[in-house]
Amino acid sequence: MPVRGSTPRTGVLPEALVTKAARTTAALSLLLALTGCSAPESAPHPPASASPVSAPPLSTPADPTDAAWAQLMTPMNAQAVALLSLAARRADDPRVRSWAATLRTAQNGELARLRPLLARMGLPDTNVHEGHDMPGMVTEHDLRRARTVEGRAFDRFLVAQIGDHLRQSAQVSRSETKAGTRPDARRLAAALVSARRAELDRLAGLSARTG
C-alpha cells in the first residue's frame, strides 16, 4: 500500500517533468527544423574522476535550445559581416555602401555579446554549421561569388543575401525568446528580433533602388 508522501518508484517520472521534457524537446526540434540542421555540440562535462575545483565555475551548462540558437547566430553574423565588408570596394550605390557599413558595425556588436554568451554556456566559439547548406547563412560559395561581381550586380546580390540572413535570423531568434530557458540568451534574442525589424525596414528601401 502506498505511503502518503513517499517518493515515486525509480524510473517513473512525475507528470510535470515529463511535460517539461516534452516541451523542451519540441522547442529544440522546432528551432533546428527552422535551420535545417542537426543538434548542436553540447557543453562539455568534466569526467567523474576529476578532482574538485575550489574556484567557482566560470560557465553554466547550456540548455539544448539556447545552445542551438547561440551556435547558429554566431556564425550567421560572422559570415554576414564578411559579406558586408566587401561593400566598401565593390558596391556601386553609395547608399548601399553606407547601409552595409552601418549594418556591419551592428552585427559585430551582436557578436560581441554572442561570443561571451557561448563562453558562459561552456561552448566553443567554433562554427559547428560549417559546410552546411542552411537558410539565411552566407556560405563560402556566396563569398567567392561576391568577389567576382561589382557595381549594381554586387548591390543586388548583397541586398538579396543579407535580406535572407536578416529574415531567417529574426525567425530563429523569435523561437529562442519563446523556447529558450536562459534569461541572458532570451534577452539577447529579443534584442536581435527588435534590431531585425528596423534593419528589414531599411532594407526594403534599398531593395526598391537596387532591383
Side-chain angles (χ1 to χ4, degrees):
M1 178 177 179
V3 179
R4 181 177 298 178
S6 62
T7 57
R9 295 192 307 274
T10 301
V12 179
L13 290 175
E15 182 179 354
L17 290 180
V18 174
T19 302
K20 181 180 180 181
R23 284 200 303 266
T24 300
T25 301
L28 177 58
S29 298
L30 172 61
L31 184 58
L32 294 174
L34 290 171
T35 67
C37 199
S38 58
E41 179 180 343
S42 58
H45 295 282
S49 59
S51 301
V53 180
S54 57
L58 298 178
S59 62
T60 303
D63 170 273
T65 303
D66 298 319
W69 174 76
Q71 289 190 303
L72 172 64
M73 286 304 309
T74 304
M76 282 186 79
N77 269 30
Q79 291 294 101
V81 165
L83 179 56
L84 290 163
S85 298
L86 299 175
R89 293 185 178 181
R90 311 197 74 84
D92 175 69
D93 191 328
R95 291 167 296 192
V96 172
R97 290 197 296 271
S98 176
W99 162 78
T102 300
L103 182 56
R104 182 183 62 182
T105 298
Q107 298 273 291
N108 273 325
E110 291 173 359
L111 284 171
R113 298 177 66 185
L114 283 161
R115 284 172 171 145
L117 175 62
L118 286 174
R120 291 195 298 274
M121 291 181 179
L123 297 171
D125 183 9
T126 56
N127 184 359
V128 299
H129 301 286
E130 187 173 1
H132 299 179
D133 185 9
M134 300 170 60
M137 180 78 77
V138 175
T139 65
E140 290 303 317
H141 173 76
D142 294 329
L143 292 173
R144 287 194 297 270
R145 181 181 173 189
R147 294 185 185 104
T148 67
V149 294
E150 58 186 351
R152 290 182 61 82
F154 177 87
D155 293 352
R156 288 191 294 269
F157 182 79
L158 177 69
V159 167
Q161 294 296 317
I162 295 300
D164 288 344
H165 161 68
L166 294 175
R167 285 185 288 270
Q168 184 68 17
S169 58
Q171 186 175 7
V172 295
S173 294
R174 277 192 294 270
S175 296
E176 165 63 17
T177 63
K178 297 173 183 177
T181 62
R182 289 181 63 104
D184 53 354
R186 293 180 66 180
R187 283 194 299 270
L188 181 51
L192 264 62
V193 171
S194 178
R196 296 299 181 269
R197 292 194 191 103
E199 290 157 359
L200 285 167
D201 285 344
R202 286 191 287 270
L203 185 66
L206 284 175
S207 298
R209 298 185 183 107
T210 59

